[in-house]
Amino acid sequence: MASTSANTSTGGLGIGVRSPVRLAAVPHKEIGVAAALRAADDADFEVKPAIFDEFKLTNKVGVVTGGNGGLGLEMCVTLAELGAKVYAIDIHASPSSDFKAASAFATRLGTSLQYRTANVTNQGEIGQVIEQIADENDGKIDVVIAAAGVLGREHNVEEYPAEEFKAVIDVNCNGVFYTTQAAARQMKQARSGGSIILIASMSGTVTNRDMKWAPYNTSKAAVIQMARSMACELGPDRIRVNSLSPGHIRTKMTAAVLDKQPETEAFWASLNPLGRIGAVHELRGVIAWLASDASSFCTGSDIIVSGGHTIW
Ligand SMILES: NC(=O)c1ccc[n+]([C@@H]2O[C@H](COP(=O)([O-])OP(=O)(O)OC[C@H]3O[C@@H](n4cnc5c(N)ncnc54)[C@H](O)[C@@H]3O)[C@@H](O)[C@H]2O)c1
């Protein structure tokens, strides 16, 4: 009897699978070779590139935590350039001058970039702000990027204070979890699918040579596995979850190290085959791809963009 009910619940697709396997339709789009074949048969078929349209986020709503500066702000502008209405969430009560310039830029692009304050370590607070953003947009949030993060102090592992370890985990791991669950709630309710991008780090896969960042590295490994786990749960609702793992890029976070020990930049640069650290704008392409339908079959992946740091 037990095996009969297992077969029934899985539609006969596998004994031992706990949840029913729901098959989804494979999307068909007349682009690429399909467009070429149509054009071959129909001289009136309008021939034009479709690849750039696949990246468009027109009429989409995007949310970026840690959007007041650094990588998060660059990601806000990327989403705005693709046509999305964008909300940055950050811990500061008021936005930075860089944010204000980016917001004015978004307006001149014909869209908007707004600022909201929340501490991602506060589950209720981040949940409420994301819910308010959804309410302002008829329940719709299409893209959420969890970029808020802290590095923590560089310090010997055997002496690392518990409170400092917990503080790093609280922002980088718990905060990303609370952000993602709030996003998933809204996306599930709206039944419109979505793309969630968790900003991890190459430090979740490899250890930064000679840097004593055990708490940070630990938190980023957790983010990579969080993305995979959430991708499994949310896939049936057409919500994709991926992690993006940058290598060394100069921002306020890394400037804290680079400005104190300028020789560190050459050392970090020597650790990848391109021989340099990255610039914030070098994540724009991968963000555009992960956020948009251009990556519609990608979920649960960790995309490493590190100048090749992890291949040595
Ligand atoms: N810069 C790099 O080389 C690098 C490399 C790999 C990964 N990352 C990751 O990219 C993300 C962005 O980092 P960045 O380099 O732009 O650093 P950053 O310090 O410039 O930006 C981090 C942002 O997160 C915000 N933030 C911190 N704690 C918060 C909290 N509790 N609630 C809400 N917002 C909070 C900060 O106010 C800041 O605006 C982080 O997750 C970081 O770990 C950075």
Side-chain angles (χ1 to χ4, degrees):
M1 281 308 283
S3 65
T4 309
S5 67
N7 267 328
T8 308
S9 69
T10 61
L13 285 173
I15 294 170
V17 178
R18 285 183 61 195
S19 54
V21 177
R22 282 195 275 150
L23 298 181
V26 178
H28 174 73
K29 285 188 176 173
E30 206 162 55
I31 53 178
V33 173
L37 294 175
R38 171 81 187 278
D41 282 345
D42 178 357
D44 293 332
F45 182 75
E46 190 191 354
V47 172
K48 56 173 185 165
I51 187 74
F52 301 114
D53 287 350
E54 287 181 73
F55 288 85
K56 280 188 179 159
L57 295 178
T58 317
N59 297 324
K60 305 271 188 190
V61 177
V63 174
V64 183
T65 70
N68 196 35
L71 302 183
L73 182 57
E74 190 67 44
M75 292 167 189
C76 287
V77 174
T78 304
L79 300 185
E81 284 189 39
L82 293 165
K85 180 176 177 185
V86 187
Y87 294 81
I89 302 176
D90 209 291
I91 195 165
H92 300 282
S94 54
S96 63
S97 55
D98 284 6
F99 178 89
K100 287 179 187 160
S103 176
F105 186 70
T107 306
R108 288 172 69 178
L109 287 169
T111 182
S112 63
L113 169 56
Q114 300 179 49
Y115 188 82
R116 298 286 185 271
T117 300
N119 183 342
V120 295
T121 67
N122 183 326
Q123 188 186 32
E125 194 172 288
I126 184 69
Q128 203 175 22
V129 170
I130 289 181
E131 189 178 339
Q132 280 163 1
I133 293 170
D135 288 348
E136 283 173 31
N137 292 282
D138 300 323
K140 211 169 84 87
I141 297 180
D142 304 282
V143 179
V144 172
I145 303 177
V150 292
L151 182 56
R153 190 158 58 105
E154 198 194 355
H155 197 56
N156 297 343
V157 73
E158 67 275 18
E159 287 159 0
Y160 215 96
E163 286 316 311
E164 288 184 43
F165 178 79
K166 286 185 203 170
V168 172
I169 299 296
D170 208 12
V171 180
N172 295 3
C173 186
N174 302 353
V176 170
F177 187 85
Y178 302 148
T179 302
T180 313
Q181 67 177 176
R185 255 193 322 270
Q186 301 307 322
M187 288 176 178
K188 274 181 98 159
Q189 265 172 34
R191 295 176 180 274
S192 52
S195 173
I196 301 175
I197 306 165
L198 311 187
I199 306 306
S201 168
M202 66 176 181
S203 313
T205 297
V206 294
T207 299
N208 306 64
R209 188 168 174 172
D210 296 345
M211 308 305 298
K212 295 173 179 174
W213 285 335
Y216 180 80
N217 301 348
T218 305
S219 72
K220 293 300 183 176
V223 170
I224 293 168
Q225 182 61 352
M226 198 188 297
R228 292 191 198 108
S229 308
M230 291 185 171
C232 293
E233 260 191 69
L234 300 171
D237 293 287
R238 295 182 297 114
I239 301 167
R240 300 185 293 112
V241 189
N242 292 288
S243 56
L244 169 60
S245 287
H248 294 123
I249 296 175
R250 182 182 272 275
T251 61
K252 219 180 220 175
M253 181 183 279
T254 45
V257 178
L258 294 172
D259 290 348
K260 233 188 324 175
Q261 302 152 353
E263 69 283 2
T264 306
E265 179 166 339
F267 172 57
W268 286 354
S270 75
L271 296 173
N272 76 57
L274 296 184
R276 63 174 177 86
I277 64 169
V280 287
H281 69 80
E282 290 181 296
L283 298 179
R284 283 160 56 91
V286 69
I287 284 294
W289 178 67
L290 283 173
S292 68
D293 283 349
S295 63
S296 53
F297 197 46
C298 182
T299 196
S301 291
D302 179 51
I303 312 294
I304 301 178
V305 180
S306 67
H309 185 112
T310 58
I311 60 178
W312 272 351

